[in-house]
Amino acid sequence: MSADTKIAELLTELHQLIKQTQEERSRSEHNLLNIQKTHERMQTENKTSPYYRTKLRGLYTTAKADAEAECSILRHALDKIAEIKSLLEERRIAAKMAGVYSDSDPPRKTMRRGVLMTLLQQSAMTLPLWIGKPGESPPPLCGATPANSDYVAKQGDKVAARVKAMDGDEQWILAEVVSYNHSTNKYEVDDIDEEGKERHTLSRRRIIPLPQWKANPETDPEALFSKDQLVLALYPQTTCFYRALIHTPPHRPQDDYSVLFEDTSYADGYSPPLNVAQSIRGRLQREQEEMTRRRRTKRRSGSRGGC
């Protein structure tokens, strides 16, 4: 079965699940209305009789069952969405590895910066939100939760990669994993800003896997970076990571972080608060302490559109 056919089937199944969700929600509304009316009658009569207690117990039991049924359908729908995204990513990687053009075709043009920035923003916005079951802890690479020590990023994953610039200096860039060699413990990654034209071979300590899920501040606040925590953050409208302090963590799932980037052009050494998405910042590691503000200021005016 082709990827296109499989995706079409999954979309049909997803559509049916969405319809089922609405049907479940419509059925549960009648029961929720009965709960509300029962509480209003109890307040009017100013008493809690055995009758009302028994009635409410039954209504709440039904409401719990309705909510669990709707939750099950929604989780099934999320699994379908994840499967569709995975197939689309596999297709994109296959096309990239095979080459879009043949030898007789003109060379591929470098993606315009505006288009690249739009794609990165869309990728950040569509990062899935982790929705665990009651009592379930967020997994590795959910928000600020680091990857396990033996974790290996997969082909196509976005990572923060520490590379050498043309002047011999080093910088952290947004890159895409091409492969991992288990015998040498080294990655091959493509600079995301050059559309695969610049490839780097890097050791694991020079790679930071980026989050695969957004953390929900309302249910999993422990999976967020905390205020004043030092991190690497993707500077807005660039593809480079710089040191920053968390100014304000997100309060809602759709919110961004507000961060203060290190910047010697300001009296206190930090920029005014800037927003960065949950999905595009990495945990600051020990070896990153070697980075200097001088290098960051120098690269911001360089050829990488801000790096």
Side-chain angles (χ1 to χ4, degrees):
M1 182 185 299
S2 68
D4 288 343
T5 302
K6 181 61 175 176
I7 290 172
E9 288 186 358
L10 289 169
L11 287 171
T12 300
E13 293 173 11
L14 179 60
H15 181 256
Q16 292 300 319
L17 288 169
I18 293 172
K19 288 178 62 178
Q20 291 178 31
T21 301
Q22 187 57 49
E23 291 169 0
E24 286 289 342
R25 188 164 298 177
S26 297
R27 277 196 293 269
S28 66
E29 285 178 355
H30 177 71
N31 187 65
L32 293 175
L33 183 60
N34 282 338
I35 291 175
Q36 180 182 350
K37 289 181 177 179
T38 301
H39 278 288
E40 290 173 351
R41 291 195 192 102
M42 290 170 61
Q43 291 175 352
T44 300
E45 298 177 14
N46 196 25
K47 65 178 181 178
T48 304
S49 65
Y51 165 76
Y52 282 131
R53 284 198 295 268
T54 301
K55 182 176 182 179
L56 282 174
R57 188 179 295 112
L59 289 173
Y60 275 112
T61 299
T62 301
K64 182 175 180 291
D66 289 343
E68 289 173 346
E70 183 178 341
C71 181
S72 177
I73 296 173
L74 287 172
R75 288 187 182 281
H76 197 188
L78 288 173
D79 289 341
K80 295 297 179 183
I81 293 172
E83 194 172 350
I84 292 169
K85 291 184 69 174
S86 178
L87 286 170
L88 290 171
E89 182 67 4
E90 289 176 7
R91 188 172 64 179
R92 183 190 69 82
I93 293 172
K96 177 182 176 181
M97 299 303 291
V100 179
Y101 297 100
S102 66
D103 293 339
S104 60
D105 287 325
R108 180 172 46 180
K109 294 182 179 180
T110 301
M111 187 182 301
R112 290 185 302 167
R113 173 158 295 277
V115 175
L116 176 61
M117 293 300 110
T118 299
L119 291 176
L120 291 179
Q121 185 179 25
Q122 290 175 348
S123 177
M125 292 175 61
T126 58
L127 192 74
L129 178 70
W130 168 254
I131 304 175
K133 297 178 181 179
E136 186 177 10
S137 299
L141 294 181
C142 173
T145 309
N148 294 328
S149 58
D150 59 349
Y151 177 79
V152 174
K154 302 184 297 298
Q155 184 184 50
D157 281 357
K158 302 296 188 300
V159 297
R162 189 177 185 180
V163 302
K164 284 190 175 181
M166 294 182 64
D167 60 2
D169 214 343
E170 293 190 334
Q171 59 187 12
W172 286 90
I173 66 169
L174 181 62
E176 181 177 281
V177 173
V178 176
S179 63
Y180 179 75
N181 189 321
H182 288 272
S183 61
T184 62
N185 289 326
K186 289 187 176 182
Y187 284 97
E188 277 198 339
V189 300
D190 280 343
D191 184 342
I192 199 73
D193 198 38
E194 297 297 332
E195 204 183 16
K197 291 184 178 180
E198 189 173 354
R199 184 162 294 180
H200 305 273
T201 301
L202 304 170
S203 62
R204 291 182 64 175
R205 68 182 181 85
R206 288 177 170 267
I207 296 292
I208 302 177
L210 297 181
Q212 296 182 354
W213 295 276
K214 287 192 291 187
N216 189 342
E218 298 170 349
T219 57
D220 303 299
E222 73 280 4
L224 295 172
F225 289 106
S226 57
K227 181 176 174 60
D228 295 329
Q229 188 169 354
L230 189 61
V231 298
L232 281 179
L234 197 67
Y235 196 84
Q237 297 303 307
T238 78
T239 58
C240 281
F241 292 86
Y242 300 112
R243 288 160 55 105
L245 285 178
I246 300 296
H247 180 254
T248 307
H251 296 293
R252 299 172 300 172
Q254 65 270 30
D255 290 345
D256 293 334
Y257 280 93
S258 175
V259 305
L260 309 174
F261 283 96
E262 288 190 346
D263 195 330
T264 53
S265 63
Y266 293 91
D268 61 358
Y270 290 96
S271 72
L274 295 172
N275 288 345
V276 296
Q278 282 201 50
S279 60
I280 47 177
R281 80 273 173 269
R283 179 181 295 274
L284 189 67
Q285 295 182 330
R286 183 175 301 171
E287 64 269 20
Q288 294 167 264
E289 295 290 346
E290 302 168 4
M291 293 190 300
T292 64
R293 293 175 182 152
R294 178 190 59 79
R295 183 163 70 247
R296 174 188 171 281
T297 303
K298 178 181 178 181
R299 279 198 299 274
R300 246 189 221 179
S301 60
S303 61
R304 291 180 58 86
C307 292

